[in-house]
Amino acid sequence: MEAIRNYLETMFANLPNTPEVLRAKNELWQMMEDKYNELIADGKSDNEAVGTVIAEFGNLDEISEDLGIGSFVKSKSQDSLRRNITMEEAKSYLHDSSKYAYRLALGVLLCIISPTGAIICDALDTSYIFGLLFLMGSIAAAVIMFVYSSITMHHWDFLKNELCSTDFATTNYVNDQKERYCTTYALLMTVGIILCVVSFVPAAIIDELDISFRGFDMDDMSGMLLLVIVAIGVFIIILSYSTNSSYDHLLKLNNASTVAGNYVSSQHPETKYISPTAATIMSVYWQTVTCIYLIWSFLSFGWWYTWIIWPIAGIISSVLNGAFKKH
């Protein structure tokens, strides 16, 4: 019966999500179910029963008039031209996206901790050349990760530039994966945010207690400790958010006005903005924030405080989304 259900959902996927179409789909499902049970009762195998049901009811062009949806089936919708994303493609995209999320998060982490080499050199009273080498090496590694990750994801650009859709089975698979990740996502986001919020506490305690270890003044290391905690928190936030976004991206492919969009997209509606200009602004928002962060950090060499741009950017993003989204 699952095969029949999946076939039925695929048949109706690109039809408008109207009461008439939904009524016809439910009616056809009841007819398929009755026929299947009848064939099983007559001693047919499951495969034989499924094949017979699909052969008898599987051509929507032939039975659409009897179902009262002939006009919907005959009308050529733009959604019929959508490229179908197969289950294999969806799994491959999620796999590549998870790698992209990890490299992106690791690159940001390296940017944040890049000044720690200089802090250690200052604490040990050694040459700053080692700190500078660590700074430049970390930034270089981060840039390489950003560029490499972007290039490896180029072959998925068609998901943004073309009309695409997923069938019932693929949509259910993606939604199931997202639901399984939901608890992990909530936990990781909570931990990441808490780390960013309390990052100053250990440093403040060290400064207040004037802790030293074998003659080594730990005050000099308090700034490094703050950066490391923030870096870990930001790493967790970016990794979990990017991973969760990859599920949402696939779930938004189906047009919400079609039956296919009724599977899951009603819970994850496609973001629409009030104007093309607003859409353009939001599409480049985080890339712009990253550029500002790097430019500000390089010009000021204030890597221990420039990280504050990320939580501020998150707040501004929420405000802009609220202002620019269509309601």
Side-chain angles (χ1 to χ4, degrees):
M1 289 296 288
E2 186 66 22
I4 296 176
R5 184 68 183 182
N6 289 343
Y7 190 87
L8 174 70
E9 296 289 352
T10 302
M11 289 171 61
F12 280 80
N14 290 323
L15 295 182
N17 188 21
T18 64
E20 295 83 1
V21 172
L22 295 179
R23 177 197 54 76
K25 188 178 80 165
N26 292 332
E27 181 180 335
L28 182 56
W29 166 246
Q30 189 61 56
M31 289 166 33
M32 287 178 157
E33 187 178 28
D34 292 343
K35 184 65 177 181
Y36 174 85
N37 292 332
E38 179 184 333
L39 292 170
I40 293 296
D42 290 340
K44 300 291 185 180
S45 68
D46 180 73
N47 289 337
E48 290 176 327
V50 170
T52 302
V53 169
I54 291 177
E56 184 171 338
F57 300 103
N59 193 332
L60 199 57
D61 291 333
E62 295 179 355
I63 62 176
S64 59
E65 295 294 343
D66 295 334
L67 294 172
I69 56 172
S71 59
F72 295 108
V73 174
K74 291 178 182 178
S75 62
K76 297 298 181 181
S77 169
Q78 189 181 37
D79 289 293
S80 64
L81 303 177
R82 286 178 178 257
R83 172 176 174 175
N84 181 61
I85 305 302
T86 64
M87 180 76 76
E88 291 71 23
E89 286 179 315
K91 291 180 179 179
S92 180
Y93 171 76
L94 293 176
H95 178 72
D96 290 349
S97 294
S98 65
K99 289 185 175 180
Y100 171 80
Y102 178 80
R103 295 189 189 107
L104 178 65
L106 184 58
V108 174
L109 180 145
L110 289 174
C111 288
I112 296 175
I113 68 170
S114 59
T116 57
I119 296 175
I120 294 175
C121 288
D122 182 61
L124 297 177
D125 196 22
T126 59
S127 174
Y128 278 101
I129 187 64
F130 299 107
L132 182 60
L133 288 175
F134 182 80
L135 172 68
M136 300 308 297
S138 298
I139 297 301
V143 171
I144 291 173
M145 288 185 181
F146 293 149
V147 174
Y148 179 74
S149 298
S150 178
I151 292 175
T152 55
M153 289 297 289
H154 270 332
H155 65 286
W156 295 110
D157 285 349
F158 70 88
L159 292 177
K160 299 179 181 179
N161 302 327
E162 300 179 20
L163 291 173
C164 299
S165 64
T166 57
D167 58 27
F168 178 71
T170 303
T171 303
N172 268 348
Y173 169 79
V174 176
N175 188 52
D176 287 342
Q177 293 299 308
K178 177 179 170 61
E179 291 300 324
R180 292 177 184 176
Y181 185 69
C182 183
T183 302
T184 303
Y185 172 64
L187 178 62
L188 290 177
M189 287 294 288
T190 301
V191 171
I193 292 172
I194 289 176
L195 285 175
C196 290
V197 171
V198 303
S199 59
F200 71 94
V201 174
I205 293 175
I206 292 174
D207 288 338
E208 182 67 25
L209 298 180
D210 194 22
I211 300 175
S212 62
F213 178 73
R214 294 182 179 180
F216 181 75
D217 191 358
M218 293 297 292
D219 285 352
D220 295 331
M221 304 297 289
S222 60
M224 184 193 74
L225 184 60
L226 182 146
L227 285 178
V228 170
I229 295 175
V230 169
I232 295 174
V234 172
F235 173 87
I236 294 173
I237 291 172
I238 294 177
L239 178 63
S240 56
Y241 179 81
S242 297
T243 302
N244 189 68
S245 296
S246 64
Y247 297 119
D248 287 339
H249 187 62
L250 287 179
L251 293 175
K252 292 175 182 177
L253 292 178
N254 292 322
N255 189 338
S257 65
T258 64
V259 174
N262 196 40
Y263 301 155
V264 182
S265 294
S266 59
Q267 302 172 18
H268 312 277
E270 182 178 1
T271 302
K272 294 184 178 180
Y273 296 101
I274 57 177
S275 69
T277 302
T280 301
I281 291 174
M282 296 311 299
S283 67
V284 299
Y285 177 79
W286 286 108
Q287 294 91 325
T288 304
V289 170
T290 302
C291 290
I292 293 174
Y293 167 72
L294 293 175
I295 293 172
W296 182 21
S297 300
F298 272 119
L299 293 178
S300 66
F301 282 93
W303 300 88
W304 55 90
Y305 61 79
T306 54
W307 62 267
I308 195 66
I309 193 174
W310 296 107
I312 294 175
I315 296 173
I316 295 175
S317 176
S318 299
V319 173
L320 291 178
N321 272 312
F324 289 160
K325 277 183 181 179
K326 281 186 177 180
H327 299 285

